[in-house]
Amino acid sequence: MYQNGLTHNAVLPSQLPPASYAIDAGAKINGGIAYDGRLLFAVTFSGELLAIDPANGAVQWRSRADDVLMSSPIVANGLVFVGSGTNRQLYERKGSAAWGRPSGNHWYAFRADTGAEVWNYKTVGEAMPSAAYENGVLVFATGDNLAQALDAATGKPLWQTRLPGVPTMASAMVDNGMVFLAATRGKPEVYDIDRSHTLAIDLHTGAIRWTAPYGNGDCTPTIAQGKVFVESANDAPTGPLEATGTNDVVALDERTGRSLWRFHSAIGYFTAVGSNERAIAGTYDGGVLYQPVPALSELFAFDAASGHVLWHSHLSGPVKMSPIVADNGVYFGDTSGVFYRLDARTGNVRAAVPFDRPFTTSPPVILGRTLFVTNTEFLRALPLTTF
């Protein structure tokens, strides 16, 4: 799944020695990085899927899709799954908007060892949110308000379910035979919480089990402790249109969708630097939810059981990526181009390294003692000693 699992804490064991390099992918990288135990996989706005040797940054192969690739690659059973898409409105009907391009988009399966295309599946709406793989089933959402499941080996469709909105960038999560998605209905520029829902869908049948009026189509759910953690983005009741707003962080009961706790932020400013995302997936580790709050340019640490704020740290710009947690450090970059290591217990800044490009929606991955992260078109390998 997105960021390897339900908690999004993509910290993986590896015997690789610490690496240090930067490679130019030739186009912006917005999707996350995947790893199959041998190669890293990254996608670009030029429609390329790259397989990269993590030890030295050498590109092993490149494969091309029909449009922008923005989803995090998903790797399973020797295949790499990616979806293509275009971030524009396809149509609007009675308050329900679809995203994509008139000619449609595709999901692809490529061989992880060679990059050869195995199958493709045409979609009406964009296929930008990342898929999830579970026991031979690939499940995802598309810009035409659908959740869909395919046989991962063949690309054969298994089911489709109509959603109350579009999961624009909210990736599918699978747990206990259920698929969790967040969707927002209406025009793309509207971010009212009343237009957004989080849903639980049966993985095998596509039947909707519950919906909750929280979340955002750009924010992948985080799952831990029997809870589904989501973030909403809301326009402020007063102030400049499109500029000011708030974020809500909500914990839902995984079985029922019932709200367990909710945090409502103060009014702040949303930005479009790097990306338009206003609600970002948090990361769970050790009983704590580490949650970006873009409206305030802050990262919060919540007690995941109660919602109590443990600390919050003000940053130089909004964080539009999920953080990762390792060695009592919280690692992430912001859209001003600063990459941070915060103390996981206190939120104090332990390191802040400036770069000349913004960090946007592609979150970091740690393999052994190396952190891999992208900013714009560069994929960087940074030894943890950097921070």
Side-chain angles (χ1 to χ4, degrees), residues 47-48 106 109 115 153 158 221 231 247 262 284 369:
E48 283 195 317
H106 289 85
L158 301 175
E231 184 171 64
N247 288 118
R262 178 179 175 183
Y284 172 92
R369 303 305 299 171

Side-chain angles (χ1 to χ4, degrees), residues 9-10 15 42 49 52-53 63 69 78-79 87 96 105 109 117 120 132 139 160 179 195 213 266-267 320 367:
N9 198 27
Q15 297 303 312
L49 169 66
I52 300 161
D53 185 331
S63 295
L69 291 179
L79 296 178
N87 188 19
S96 178
N105 284 113
E117 183 180 319
N120 67 72
V139 61
Q160 291 186 347
V179 184
R195 295 175 178 266
I267 294 175
K320 298 186 179 183
L367 302 182

Side-chain angles (χ1 to χ4, degrees), residues 145 162-166 183-185 195-197 199 208 211:
N145 299 259
R162 179 66 54 183
L163 302 174
V166 180
T184 298
R185 65 180 176 86
R195 295 175 178 266
S196 296
H197 292 80
L199 305 94
I208 296 176
T211 65

Side-chain angles (χ1 to χ4, degrees), residues 43-381:
V43 296
T44 74
F45 271 30
S46 65
E48 283 195 317
L49 169 66
L50 283 69
I52 300 161
D53 185 331
N56 55 28
V59 176
Q60 303 301 295
W61 53 257
R62 297 172 183 258
S63 295
R64 184 170 290 278
D66 65 330
D67 201 358
V68 170
L69 291 179
M70 205 180 301
S71 64
S72 297
I74 303 301
V75 188
N77 286 351
L79 296 178
V80 187
F81 306 97
V82 293
S84 66
T86 297
N87 188 19
R88 66 182 179 217
Q89 191 169 329
L90 183 62
Y91 62 77
E92 182 186 3
R93 297 171 184 163
K94 297 180 180 179
S96 178
W99 290 21
R101 63 178 184 171
S103 58
N105 284 113
H106 289 85
W107 269 95
Y108 296 88
F110 296 100
R111 284 188 53 164
D113 55 352
T114 66
E117 183 180 319
V118 177
W119 56 255
N120 67 72
Y121 173 77
K122 187 174 177 60
T123 63
V124 174
E126 49 83 2
M128 291 193 297
S130 304
Y133 174 94
E134 179 78 8
N135 293 329
V137 177
L138 190 75
V139 61
F140 53 85
T142 50
D144 51 335
N145 299 259
L146 290 177
Q148 306 187 55
L150 306 179
D151 181 299
T154 65
K156 178 182 176 181
L158 301 175
W159 53 256
Q160 291 186 347
T161 296
R162 179 66 54 183
L163 302 174
V166 180
T168 45
M169 289 302 295
S171 303
M173 292 283 109
V174 176
D175 190 35
N176 293 323
M178 303 294 287
V179 184
F180 298 91
L181 288 166
T184 298
R185 65 180 176 86
K187 295 182 179 180
E189 66 269 18
V190 176
Y191 295 90
D192 187 349
I193 188 173
D194 295 333
R195 295 175 178 266
S196 296
H197 292 80
T198 298
L199 305 94
I201 301 170
D202 189 290
L203 173 64
H204 305 291
T205 67
I208 296 176
R209 297 307 183 194
W210 57 255
T211 65
Y214 306 101
N216 183 274
D218 281 341
C219 181
T220 303
T222 306
I223 301 173
Q225 292 187 347
K227 299 178 180 66
V228 180
F229 303 98
V230 295
E231 184 171 64
S232 301
N234 320 297
D235 290 330
T238 60
L241 183 66
E242 287 300 299
T244 56
T246 63
N247 288 118
D248 286 346
V249 182
V250 183
L252 305 172
D253 186 285
E254 185 176 354
R255 296 170 301 170
T256 67
R258 180 173 63 90
S259 175
L260 301 175
W261 58 257
R262 178 179 175 183
F263 166 85
H264 182 68
S265 82
I267 294 175
Y269 290 90
F270 293 123
T271 76
V273 176
S275 75
N276 290 320
E277 275 71 21
R278 301 182 174 195
I280 310 299
T283 300
Y284 172 92
D285 182 70
V288 179
L289 178 69
Y290 298 93
Q291 179 66 56
V293 177
L296 303 181
S297 295
E298 293 192 356
L299 188 99
F300 277 70
F302 295 97
D303 181 286
S306 66
H308 175 69
V309 175
L310 303 175
W311 52 258
H312 57 102
S313 183
H314 190 73
L315 309 163
S316 61
V319 177
K320 298 186 179 183
M321 64 168 62
S322 301
I324 54 176
V325 186
D327 299 336
N328 195 41
V330 186
Y331 298 85
F332 59 91
D334 69 17
T335 58
S336 76
V338 177
F339 198 89
Y340 299 87
R341 182 182 188 270
L342 305 187
D343 188 298
R345 294 168 297 187
T346 65
N348 293 334
V349 177
R350 297 306 184 198
V353 181
F355 291 83
D356 62 356
R357 299 165 188 268
F359 292 95
T360 59
T361 59
S362 180
V365 171
I366 290 177
L367 302 182
R369 303 305 299 171
T370 304
L371 182 144
F372 296 89
V373 68
T374 72
N375 63 338
T376 60
E377 67 269 34
F378 288 95
L379 187 149
R380 303 181 185 277

